[in-house]
């Protein structure tokens, strides 16, 4: 009888092991997004030429997550830093990793203009409906009525508008060679496929690639495991439809 | 009373900051000058959480200090992390249950004290009141506030929970009393484990 | 406006909570801000209290926007303020420059954190240069550096009056320690201490029919001729210099016969004060001087102090690498007293640090 192989948890080769276990809170969605990204980096064989750039936000906790070269930027400024790298060294694969606050609030002008210029970078934006790192303030994506530290009585759209729908507006700004999608950590295979497409689109030199990922933040939502999942699936996913909004690789996956 | 400096450290979720807050609140209510600094920032995720408390009859200067009169480490990692706050005048307190590598202990201390707080909480009371035992021990070791003042501050902080479940009040006060005794005894004995 | 405290009241709270109460008591009508540690809780407390006192709040998309919305709000006649730190303070330099150029009564609370870049979220005194002389102007700002919670409370109230009296952007310069630590203080309504709050007034959106009752008001911040701008800057400078003597504030202790004078500001001055007490007890002739206003700087007062004591040395102590030192040097230019420095960028300074340094200077 053959010896049983010892079982190792499946870890993407592109993960940087000295930084594990990672620093996200238990139940946080960031780890799932990064797993999908890591597996894609492995499968596409781009570990050595990937530059991972992280925003200031909980994304920052991923600064040494991968055994890829990486850079920390400023809150909201990951997009222009990635654009600077890509324009200078087009052979590199630049992956910007940011939160909804970093992308849609303080960095929105950069996101908008990079999309309009069809910059050949890949951006992954984690939507957890709040500012996680600073302790749970309102984000552009906070749902109507949702309580946060700066909307203690619930978000009032009369005062602060409705949640930003990022992929929808980016799809309007970009040409057909761009890739725009929204994924969720509750559908892993689809998430992984969307990130793969977003990387492929850059590798093929087509254009701007953007994936928003609906994610969980039990710490600031103050939810237990069941409530966390319920908020993601029953509140966020109906408000923010998941699917490909624009894809050079054929008909979008809805 | 001259200045008393206390550093309390443990894992996030162990209630380090709540204990510090209650002690500081009690000292303030008793008319003392008090400063309490929680640590903050990135450390709230994954790091050791430390609280710095100073209590005095006179105006307190710098909010920070290098060496404490009492250091209490509520977890194994916290021992190594707080060793730097100890010098020859410091009472350094940790739990008997910890397996601490010898090199993690402070180089200098007035006394290094192990107390059976975790064991007492688990076997005699409830694991949840571990931090309240520690709070009692701080009082026993330093007299930084009176037992009555600490009780009042605890009531102030957790009163709404006690209202719903009066047994909780009893449990917490008992934990504090046991802790105080552990603290007092450890001063005279060579450890109480 | 409703009185916030019917009588003075003791409290034990964080500096951020103190700041929110002070703004409320001072009659601030609206806050614009963007989250950043260690300032966040000013916003958290303000958003909880504001609706109860009929005050406003908006979280803007970033600090540039927060600063400019304050500019707009004060132009329209509202007592508006913001609070920020570190990289947020960097971004706000653009709107602060507008406030300087247009003489807008803007009030900003700065809770310094470590730098450069995102630095730490903890503490520093590294935003002195930025807060006093940031932007593409001449530093026509009023900057109060606080050391205690009582001062945070008192100087926010005073700061609104300074801003609306003199119409220079006004800053309350705190730090992460002051923001996050708890300390006792007294809360009060300004009128109970005999402080009359200056009423805000609009700069645009004025009453009356244009062409009948009044001319249109055109606010201006860009000029086509060098000479025009020159006139404006010279006028602002002259006014700033004229009011400076009545604005400067400082504290000194044991300087009459001091051989060494410790110069520090903000929370570090507490350590300096303790160091003086301890060193005097050891028979050493040491005193301390603390500028409360970093702009305008109490230069004459510091010079007087040096002269009357005949001090042999100054020690500049700060949680930065020479920002206060540069300020002091430029302000007391001409003094020949040797200066030594204790620079601890981004970390706290305690009496022990200062005492060790002083002993090494003897
Ligand atoms: C200029 C500037 N302003 C504010 C901050 C403080 N800050 C750090 S992270 C953050 C928000 C993070 O939220 P998000 O981008 O949604 O990421 P998350 O933490 O939720 O993953 C803010 C406001 C900063 N670092 N720099
Ligand atoms: S605060 Fe929220 S987003 Fe940040 S690590 Fe924790 S769960 Fe994740
Ligand atoms: Mg977020």
């Amino acid at each position: 009888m053959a010896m049983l192989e010892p079982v190792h948890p499946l870890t993407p080769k592109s993960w940087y092991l000295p930084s594990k276990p990672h620093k996200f809170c238990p139940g946080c969605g960031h780890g799932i997004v990064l797993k999908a990204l890591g597996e894609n980096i492995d499968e596409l064989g781009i570990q050595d030429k990937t530059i991972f750039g992280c925003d200031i936000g909980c994304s920052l906790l991923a600064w040494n997550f991968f055994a890829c070269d990486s850079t920390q930027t400023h809150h909201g400024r990951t997009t222009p830093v990635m654009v600077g790298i890509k324009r200078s060294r087009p052979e590199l694969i630049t992956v910007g990793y940011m939160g909804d606050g970093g992308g849609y609030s303080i960095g929105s002008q950069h996101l908008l203009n990079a999309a309009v210029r069809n910059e050949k970078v890949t951006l992954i934006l984690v939507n957890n409906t709040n500012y996680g790192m600073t302790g749970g303030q309102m984000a552009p994506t906070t749902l109507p009525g949702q309580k946060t530290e700066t909307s203690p009585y619930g978000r009032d759209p009369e005062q602060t508008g409705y949640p930003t729908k990022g992929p929808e507006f980016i799809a309007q700004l970009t040409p057909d060679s761009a890739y725009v999608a929204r994924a969720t950590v509750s559908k892993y295979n689809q998430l992984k496929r969307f990130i793969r497409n977003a990387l492929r689109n850059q590798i093929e030199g087509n254009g701007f690639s953007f994936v928003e990922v609906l994610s969980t933040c039990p710490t600031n939502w103050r939810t237990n495991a069941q409530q966390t999942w319920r908020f993601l699936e029953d509140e966020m996913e109906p408000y923010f439809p998941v699917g490909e909004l624009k894809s050079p690789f054929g008909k979008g996956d809805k | 009373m001259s200045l008393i400096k206390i550093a309390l450290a443990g894992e996030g979720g162990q209630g380090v900051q709540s204990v510090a807050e209650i002690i500081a609140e009690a000292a303030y209510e008793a008319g003392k000058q008090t400063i309490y600094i929680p640590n903050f920032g990135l450390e709230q995720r994954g790091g050791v959480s430390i609280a710095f408390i100073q209590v005095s009859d006179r105006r307190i200067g710098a909010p920070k200090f290098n060496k404490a009169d009492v250091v209490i480490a509520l977890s194994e990692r916290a021992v190594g992390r707080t060793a730097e706050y100890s010098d020859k005048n410091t009472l350094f307190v940790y739990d008997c249950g910890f397996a601490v590598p010898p090199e993690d202990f402070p180089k200098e201390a007035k006394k290094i004290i192990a107390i059976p707080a975790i064991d007492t909480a688990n076997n005699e009371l409830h694991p949840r009141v571990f931090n309240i035992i520690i709070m009692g021990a701080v009082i026993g070791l330093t007299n930084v506030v009176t037992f009555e003042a600490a009780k009042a501050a605890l009531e102030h902080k957790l009163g709404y929970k006690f209202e719903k479940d009066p047994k909780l009040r009893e449990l917490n006060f008992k934990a504090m009393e046991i802790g105080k005794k552990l603290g007092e005894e450890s001063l005279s004995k060579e450890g109480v484990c | 406006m409703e009185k916030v405290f019917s009588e003075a009241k003791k409290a034990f709270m964080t500096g951020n909570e103190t700041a929110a109460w002070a703004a409320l008591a001072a009659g601030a009508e609206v806050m614009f801000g963007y989250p950043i540690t260690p300032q966040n809780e000013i916003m958290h407390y303000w958003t909880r209290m504001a609706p109860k006192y009929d005050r406003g709040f908006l979280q803007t998309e970033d600090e540039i926007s927060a600063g400019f919305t304050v500019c707009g709000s004060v132009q329209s006649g509202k007592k508006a303020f913001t609070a920020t730190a570190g990289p947020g303070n960097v971004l706000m330099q653009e709107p602060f420059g507008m406030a300087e150029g247009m003489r807008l009564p803007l009030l900003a609370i700065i809770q310094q954190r470590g730098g450069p870049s995102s630095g730490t979220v903890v503490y520093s005194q590294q935003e002195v240069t930025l807060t006093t002389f940031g932007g593409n102007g001449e530093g026509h700002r009023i900057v109060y550096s606080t050391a205690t919670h009582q001062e945070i409370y008192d100087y926010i109230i005073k700061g609104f009056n300074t801003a609306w009296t003199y119409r220079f952007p006004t800053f309350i310069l705190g730090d992460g320690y002051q923001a996050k630590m708890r300390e006792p203080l007294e809360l009060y309504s300004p009128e109970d201490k005999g402080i009359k709050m200056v009423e805000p007034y609009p700069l645009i959106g004025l009453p009356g029919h244009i062409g009948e009752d009044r001319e249109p008001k055109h606010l201006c911040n860009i000029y086509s001729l060098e000479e025009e701008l020159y006139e404006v800057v010279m006028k602002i400078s002259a006014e700033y210099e004229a009011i400076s003597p009545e604005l400067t504030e400082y504290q000194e202790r044991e300087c009459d016969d001091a051989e060494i004078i410790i110069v520090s500001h903000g929370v570090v001055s507490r350590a300096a004060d303790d160091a003086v007490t301890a060193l005097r007890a050891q028979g050493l002739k040491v005193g301390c001087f603390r500028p409360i206003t970093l702009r305008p700087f109490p230069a004459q007062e510091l010079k007087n102090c040096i002269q009357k004591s005949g001090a042999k040395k100054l020690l500049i102590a700060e949680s930065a690498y020479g920002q206060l030192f540069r300020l002091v040097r430029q302000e007391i230019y001409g003094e020949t007293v040797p200066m030594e420095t204790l620079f601890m960028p981004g970390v706290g300074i305690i009496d022990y640090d200062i005492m060790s340094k002083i002993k090494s200077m003897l």
Side-chain angles (χ1 to χ4, degrees):
Chain A
M1 203 173 81
M3 284 269 289
L4 280 176
E5 286 287 323
V7 181
H8 294 294
L10 283 179
T11 314
K13 180 172 148 287
S14 56
W15 281 22
Y16 184 58
L17 296 181
S19 68
K20 306 296 170 296
H22 62 61
K23 297 188 188 67
F24 299 103
C25 308
C28 175
H30 271 285
I32 303 174
V33 185
L34 295 166
K35 179 167 186 203
L37 175 59
E39 289 181 349
N40 278 312
I41 292 174
D42 285 359
E43 290 163 21
L44 293 166
I46 54 173
Q47 179 179 355
D48 297 335
K49 55 179 179 179
T50 296
I51 303 291
F52 182 71
C54 39
D55 213 73
I56 307 288
C58 288
S59 328
L60 180 71
L61 301 173
W63 71 280
N64 60 355
F65 197 95
F66 296 107
C68 294
D69 292 348
S70 75
T71 179
Q72 300 181 348
T73 72
H74 277 194
H75 182 40
R77 313 300 176 206
T78 305
T79 303
V81 173
M82 291 297 106
V83 167
I85 293 171
K86 185 70 186 181
R87 286 207 170 226
S88 311
R89 297 272 304 276
E91 76 279 11
L92 297 174
I93 303 301
T94 50
V95 180
Y97 190 64
M98 63 192 71
D100 40 8
Y104 296 151
S105 194
I106 190 166
S108 56
Q109 55 174 334
H110 308 308
L111 186 59
L112 180 149
N113 287 292
V116 168
R117 293 193 305 262
N118 204 25
E119 297 286 355
K120 294 175 183 57
V121 295
T122 300
L123 304 179
I124 299 172
L125 182 148
V126 173
N127 173 354
N128 57 10
T129 71
N130 80 100
Y131 285 13
M133 171 142 284
T134 40
Q137 295 83 8
M138 196 180 86
T141 47
T142 297
L143 294 178
Q146 188 181 342
K147 286 186 178 153
T148 69
E149 287 291 345
T150 50
S151 59
Y153 305 106
R155 179 175 187 167
D156 175 6
E158 272 299 309
Q159 290 291 323
T160 56
Y162 286 90
T164 301
K165 292 196 170 180
E168 284 80 353
F169 90 71
I170 290 169
Q172 295 294 319
L173 297 169
T174 41
D176 289 342
S177 57
Y179 178 83
V180 184
R182 181 185 284 116
T184 167
V185 296
S186 74
K187 296 196 178 78
Y188 184 77
N189 291 336
Q190 186 194 54
L191 163 67
K192 187 174 161 189
R193 196 165 64 248
F194 288 1
I195 291 181
R196 184 188 178 82
N197 287 342
L199 291 169
R200 236 185 93 194
N201 202 41
Q202 183 183 171
I203 294 168
E204 293 178 10
N206 296 334
F208 191 68
S209 305
F210 180 78
V211 183
E212 175 188 300
V213 187
L214 304 179
S215 181
T216 53
C217 179
T219 300
N220 289 306
W221 294 351
R222 300 195 168 87
T223 45
N224 64 27
Q226 199 186 12
Q227 294 162 332
T228 302
W229 223 243
R230 197 180 297 148
F231 187 76
L232 174 67
E233 293 189 327
D234 300 347
E235 308 280 335
M236 287 172 69
E237 289 175 14
Y239 202 95
F240 299 111
V242 170
E244 291 180 309
L245 286 91
K246 188 167 257 178
S247 172
F249 309 115
K251 224 164 161 287
D253 175 347
K254 299 279 171 192
Chain B
M1 179 178 67
S2 60
L3 182 63
I4 296 183
K5 294 171 283 185
I6 303 169
L8 263 174
E11 302 300 314
Q14 269 187 316
V16 174
Q17 302 301 340
S18 332
V19 167
E21 209 177 303
I22 296 169
I23 295 172
E25 194 89 41
Y28 163 72
E29 287 296 338
K32 309 270 185 213
Q33 288 291 319
T34 312
I35 286 185
Y36 154 51
I37 316 189
N39 79 338
F40 42 88
L42 295 172
E43 289 208 323
Q44 78 200 33
R45 279 184 289 284
V48 170
S49 168
I50 308 184
F52 301 94
I53 308 168
Q54 298 187 71
V55 178
S56 174
D57 285 332
R58 277 174 290 134
R59 197 188 74 92
I60 301 171
K64 197 183 156 178
F65 51 78
N66 287 3
K67 303 294 172 193
D69 298 303
V70 182
V71 174
I72 301 184
L74 278 73
S75 74
E76 275 164 24
R77 286 203 303 172
V79 173
R81 175 69 182 81
T82 53
E84 61 171 303
Y85 301 113
S86 182
D87 71 2
K88 60 182 193 306
N89 301 314
T90 306
L91 298 172
F92 191 94
V93 185
Y94 71 107
D95 194 278
C96 312
F98 299 163
V100 182
E103 67 273 17
D104 276 9
F105 282 110
K107 304 281 166 286
E108 271 192 307
K110 184 169 165 191
K111 194 168 179 186
I112 296 183
I113 300 169
I115 60 171
I118 293 179
D119 203 52
T120 310
N122 291 353
N123 297 332
E124 292 175 34
L125 299 160
H126 188 284
R128 264 193 10 218
V129 295
F130 166 63
N131 58 355
I132 304 297
I133 297 182
I134 294 291
M135 185 172 122
V138 175
I139 295 165
L141 285 162
T142 59
N143 273 320
V144 61
V145 291
T146 64
F147 194 69
E148 289 315 309
K151 256 169 117 170
L154 195 63
E155 183 74 41
H156 183 71
K157 171 113 182 161
L158 297 177
Y160 72 103
K161 280 193 187 163
F162 296 168
E163 288 308 308
K164 279 186 228 147
D165 184 0
K167 276 210 211 87
L168 263 185
R169 178 184 285 117
E170 230 172 87
L171 182 69
N172 275 279
F173 287 173
K174 186 132 174 263
M176 209 158 77
E177 211 173 310
I178 293 179
K180 179 166 180 273
K181 233 163 83 214
L182 284 176
E184 286 165 351
E185 284 171 11
S186 68
L187 279 178
S188 48
K189 281 195 248 160
E190 276 309 311
V192 281
C193 282
Chain C
M1 197 170 272
E2 190 189 339
K3 214 168 150 185
V4 175
F5 298 106
S6 51
E7 56 187 45
K9 170 178 155 190
K10 295 254 175 273
F12 180 59
M13 54 174 61
T14 65
N16 280 339
E17 187 173 1
T18 302
W21 281 113
L24 205 62
E29 295 167 272
V30 57
M31 175 183 192
F32 298 91
Y34 188 76
I36 188 159
T37 312
Q39 162 283 133
N40 287 317
E41 295 81 10
I42 300 180
M43 285 186 355
H44 297 177
Y45 285 108
W46 182 264
T47 50
R48 277 159 186 73
M49 302 187 301
K52 296 182 186 154
Y53 292 88
D54 201 21
R55 316 289 172 89
F57 173 76
L58 179 67
Q59 181 178 315
T60 53
E61 68 275 20
D62 62 18
E63 288 87 351
I64 302 176
S65 175
F68 280 115
T69 41
V70 173
C71 288
S73 182
V74 297
Q75 287 182 329
S76 77
K78 295 285 178 213
K79 214 185 257 187
F81 76 107
T82 187
T84 191
N89 191 6
V90 174
L91 294 185
M92 281 197 196
Q93 292 307 316
E94 190 187 346
F96 293 161
M98 171 163 159
E100 235 179 279
M102 303 180 80
R103 300 286 303 271
L104 304 180
L106 166 155
L107 184 122
I109 302 160
I110 311 291
Q111 302 288 34
Q112 298 168 91
R113 59 185 250 174
S117 191
S118 302
T120 71
V121 300
V122 184
Y123 158 85
S124 87
Q125 294 188 315
Q126 294 172 286
E127 296 172 47
V128 166
T129 304
L130 190 60
T131 309
T132 52
F133 284 99
N136 60 339
E138 307 293 343
H140 291 137
R141 304 157 169 218
I142 295 155
V143 181
Y144 295 105
S145 171
T146 60
T148 65
H149 285 17
Q150 192 62 58
E151 286 185 357
I152 292 178
Y153 194 81
D154 296 346
Y155 281 101
I156 286 176
I157 290 173
K158 184 180 233 171
F160 277 109
N161 274 354
T162 305
W164 284 93
T165 304
Y166 301 101
R167 282 185 50 185
F168 283 102
T170 301
F171 299 85
I172 309 301
L173 186 65
D175 58 61
Y177 281 161
Q178 296 187 60
K180 296 278 185 171
M181 76 188 197
R182 286 178 184 234
E183 175 170 80
L185 78 153
E186 187 191 50
L187 307 170
Y188 54 84
S189 291
E191 52 267 50
D192 293 344
K193 298 273 178 188
I195 302 169
K196 193 172 169 329
M197 293 313 293
V198 177
E199 285 301 317
Y201 53 89
L203 310 178
I204 44 176
L206 305 172
H209 291 294
I210 294 174
E212 291 170 28
D213 311 314
R214 67 174 178 96
E215 287 299 301
K217 184 80 194 168
H218 300 302
L219 301 181
C220 187
N221 75 7
I222 182 164
Y223 307 92
S224 35
L225 299 177
E226 289 171 44
E227 291 74 13
E228 270 183 284
L229 174 72
Y230 172 81
E231 289 296 324
V232 171
V233 177
M234 291 309 279
K235 181 166 177 277
I236 296 177
S237 304
E239 285 181 24
Y240 186 84
E241 276 156 24
I243 62 168
S244 290
E246 57 197 271
L247 282 171
T248 47
E249 293 189 33
Y250 71 102
Q251 279 177 344
E252 63 164 272
R253 213 188 113 210
E254 307 267 11
C255 282
D256 288 348
D257 64 342
E259 290 175 2
I260 299 178
I261 298 175
I262 307 162
V263 182
S264 61
H265 75 100
V267 83
V268 175
S269 65
R270 297 167 68 131
D273 195 69
D274 275 4
V276 168
T277 307
L279 293 165
R280 284 272 168 184
Q282 295 169 19
L284 298 172
K285 288 187 176 166
V286 179
C288 57
F289 182 93
R290 167 197 171 204
I292 295 174
T293 48
L294 296 180
R295 283 288 289 155
F297 192 90
Q300 194 52 52
E301 292 83 349
L302 179 54
K303 285 183 189 171
N304 293 347
C305 217
I306 296 166
Q307 272 148 23
K308 76 175 170 197
S309 63
K312 295 197 186 78
K313 273 182 185 173
L314 296 191
L315 170 64
I316 317 292
E318 57 177 317
S319 296
Y321 201 82
Q323 304 197 15
L324 175 66
F325 180 52
R326 273 201 300 278
L327 206 51
V328 171
R329 256 190 328 190
Q330 95 194 11
E331 294 285 351
I332 63 166
Y333 179 74
E335 291 293 331
T336 52
V337 59
M339 294 189 210
E340 297 213 16
T341 59
L342 177 64
F343 295 158
M344 295 175 66
V347 293
I349 296 182
I350 65 171
D351 47 358
Y352 175 82
D353 302 319
I354 295 179
M355 288 161 68
S356 313
K357 178 70 195 179
I358 296 262
K359 293 205 168 144
S360 78
M361 289 163 61
L362 292 171

